[in-house]
Amino acid sequence: MTQEQEYGKMIPEPVPETAYFWEKVREHELWIQKCTDCDHVFHYPRFHCPKCTSSNLDWFQASGKGTLYTYMINHRPAPGFQDEAPYAIAVVQLEEGPRMMTNIVGIENTPENLVLDMALEVTFDDVLPDVTIPKWKPA
Amino acid sequence: MSLRYKAAIVGASETTEIGVLPETSETQLHIDSAVNAMNNAGIGVDQIDGIASTMNPAILSNYLGIVPKWIDNTSVGGTSFLIHVRHAAAAVASGLCETVLCAMGESGRSRVGVARRGGGGQLDNSYPGQFESIYGPLGPPTLFGMGVLRFMKETGTTLEQLASVAVAQRKWSNKVPRAMFGDLITVDDVFNSRMISYPFNLFMCCLVTDGGGSLIITSADRAKDFPTTPVYIMGTGESVETPIVSQMYDMTHSAAFQTSSKKAFEESGVSHDDIDHLMVYDAFAHLPIYGLEDLGFVGRGEGGAFIEEGNTSPGGKLPMNTNGGGLSYTHSGMYGMYAIQEAVRQVRGEAAHQVEGVKTSFVQGVGGMFMAAGSLVLTNEEPHD
């Protein structure tokens, strides 16, 4: 059985426009993009600004602070998640503006524990020797 | 160019059977409903010169033995069929072809003649694959309602109101023999059904079935040559928003619903008060609430109470999802065709649970998880100035 099969969950594979994001995540840093023409901050990674189509973009390290924007709690586990159900699939509101999907770690995933707008901070899960996934935990 | 009164639906039918059909392939579900729709319109396949389908139109054309002059393979989830109607109306209005078959079939439950689904432990470099699948969603039940808790917090909408959507629609399907679920239920029944993906209990989630439906569309000036009551296309709209639900511009609104429905209302020239009947694609219980608000039938935060108070139930002022919807009637995965079929039946006056005096119906579709939208205004009223 390969490491991937043993892990059992879906594995992100970067494409050119997302490679830098995943490279920095691998170093346990969360980097996002800002348009130097219109100042729009965005995620997921692109080669063009989704507000003005400019390709003058800067990468910068996000603070890693955010809040719980919304979530669902999945009772029917996806492949690889059998030992974790029920588990939350959540959207975090980054301090810098963009939102991203995540799991919430470090706390039992119940409606009582997961209160919208609670403070979260980023953490990094090294799921395979060369694959790291950003996740969020209560701050 | 406006499409107002340029085209009409002159044939419409679902598959002979819907529900659980393990003996019928996905291709055959398209064909069965297509033949039924042609029979309904009183025409043979030799009169079809355009084909629209989410399935490769070559499969259907070759099966039926025709070489069409016009095709549309728009495939943006379950609203695609509303968009096909819009495109077909434009095609027949501009003379690209005369008579379009919009065909749909889906072996959503039995998966006969359908590509297999992937498992875990695999690489995925798509945007959903990189930024959502890695966190363990298992299909629409775990993604489509992602904004619901946010919506509830911002608007004061309650879980009871969410449950009341399922309760209201059973009041319709209770008198629809083809509906998979027709027993009346209470809010407590909804809460006592199995938890699927909080805040969705089972009864807040759509069915998973097999079935299909087809439409025959031609120009409005030819509509009276057919034996059916013409269902005129008065207004149309379409849009897309995002391939991944976490990147909706505002998770408490569908930007695609707003853009698409606004265009359809403007084109039709009718107001909300002129709508006698409404279909809002209900893969999950929040969609009719989002739909009522984003289409402008009610104000922000009023959709849940509007349904809970019975306004969309039998006898209410805005009958909605009168076949029971995806929650109770059928849902093979891409429900939009069934929403159109019910609107056509209501406008023709031949629905199982008929609303008295329906002239004009609004149909709102959604594709993917708030990825796409399509809107139609359909009427039996003859054109007049």
Side-chain angles (χ1 to χ4, degrees), chain B residues 274-292:
Chain B
D274 297 321
I275 301 301
D276 308 309
H277 172 257
L278 176 64
M279 297 298 292
V280 177
Y281 190 127
D282 59 321
F284 297 93
H286 65 312
L287 284 161
I289 299 175
Y290 275 59
L292 286 168

Side-chain angles (χ1 to χ4, degrees), chain B residues 29 61 64 69 181 247 276 319 330 341 346 353:
Chain B
L29 290 165
S61 297
L64 293 168
K69 292 176 186 152
F181 287 156
Q247 299 306 315
D276 308 309
T330 207
Q341 294 282 341
Q346 290 284 349
H353 198 162

